[in-house]
Amino acid sequence: MTSIKAACIQMNISLCSKHENLEHALSLAEEAVSKEAELLVFPEVFSTGFCYDHIEEVAETASGPTIEALCNFSREYGCILAGSMIEKREQKERGTISSEKSVPSQYNLGFCIESGKLVGIHRKAQLYGLEKKYFAPGDSIAPIKLQKHGLSMGLIVCNELRYPEVSRKLALEGADFLVSAAYMPDFYIYPWRIMSISRAIENQLPHIACTRVGKDKYSNYPGGSFIVDGWGRVLAEAGTEECVLLGEIDLEEAKEIRQTGSILEDRRPELY
């Protein structure tokens, strides 16, 4: 059996405490790799939370110390890391048009690191609520190609799960599995679970859905990270506490599920 062992790093996040959160995340990541995890997924903005009060201070470029630390970890343990963080928009990306003054100076950056290298990014395109005041929206959606088993990852950041078009585009462009990094509050935990499983079923793809636990001044976060296969069957599920959730995805079975029926081929986009 060809498989990949995945881990959701379901962690509490201390608002604006970047160094503390990164150290804690890497400690949990060490636990994951000690249990032979190959693909590790962190929650959305895992290193800072939604630190709006000090967002310009905590924002970093993709070449900053947070990604550097994650690359070092990935290189040392030979693993794949995915999640999201607050990215500082570099000057060359800001353009010169006058309307640029109204565009926020940060992105919500989805990242994927393999064997010590940043192999792909996805800037959150579907922002929610207060995010629209502090983040510029991303402008592209595409799978991230990995060396491991020749796989392609469909990376989704939290609110993008609400839009079926995002995961469908990833599936149509060759994603072999979905990964979502979330920051799911208690009032939305049930819709999130249903949507996350639905995105797996409707695209016939495994889905690693990782969220946080704990609380901050905005909400409580009840956890419930999980891993499902392309039929929506739960392979592993977390409770309400911090944990390293492990699940093994059978890649041969995942391929068979994708080839069952002709869901994508039978679409009729001329009607919808």
Side-chain angles (χ1 to χ4, degrees), residues 4 17 24 37 39 50 66 80 96 110 132 152 155 166 171 176 191 196-197 202 207-208 215 218 243 253:
I4 186 167
S17 300
H24 185 45
L39 167 62
F50 283 101
T66 296
I80 301 164
T96 57
K132 289 180 278 188
S152 288
L155 180 57
V166 174
D176 296 296
S196 297
I197 295 174
E202 65 201 12
H207 185 185
I208 304 157
K215 62 181 181 180
Y218 300 111
C243 70
E253 183 182 53

Side-chain angles (χ1 to χ4, degrees), residues 138-149:
D139 60 5
S140 65
I141 296 168
I144 297 170
K145 295 187 181 299
L146 303 172
Q147 291 183 349
K148 194 169 189 67
H149 303 305

Side-chain angles (χ1 to χ4, degrees), residues 218-264:
Y218 300 111
S219 191
N220 295 313
Y221 306 93
S225 300
F226 60 91
I227 301 171
V228 296
D229 68 9
W231 291 132
R233 296 177 296 196
V234 177
L235 306 177
E237 186 168 10
T240 59
E241 303 296 326
E242 276 197 331
C243 70
V244 172
L245 177 71
L246 298 169
E248 192 156 5
I249 297 172
D250 184 332
L251 297 175
E252 295 170 7
E253 183 182 53
K255 185 176 181 180
E256 291 174 3
I257 292 172
R258 286 200 306 278
Q259 294 173 343
T260 301
S262 51
I263 303 302
L264 298 183

Side-chain angles (χ1 to χ4, degrees), residues 190-208:
Y190 296 109
W192 169 71
R193 178 180 170 80
I194 292 168
M195 289 187 299
S196 297
I197 295 174
S198 297
R199 299 298 86 87
I201 295 169
E202 65 201 12
N203 294 294
Q204 299 176 295
L205 295 177
H207 185 185
I208 304 157

Side-chain angles (χ1 to χ4, degrees), residues 125-177:
Q126 293 288 348
L127 303 172
Y128 177 78
L130 199 57
E131 287 181 75
K132 289 180 278 188
K133 179 180 177 181
Y134 292 96
F135 295 101
D139 60 5
S140 65
I141 296 168
I144 297 170
K145 295 187 181 299
L146 303 172
Q147 291 183 349
K148 194 169 189 67
H149 303 305
L151 294 170
S152 288
M153 172 194 295
L155 180 57
I156 299 168
V157 183
C158 203
N159 187 56
E160 293 178 324
L161 283 167
R162 181 190 284 268
Y163 302 88
E165 298 87 351
V166 174
S167 54
R168 176 52 52 87
K169 186 174 191 290
L170 291 167
L172 288 171
E173 294 188 5
D176 296 296
F177 62 97

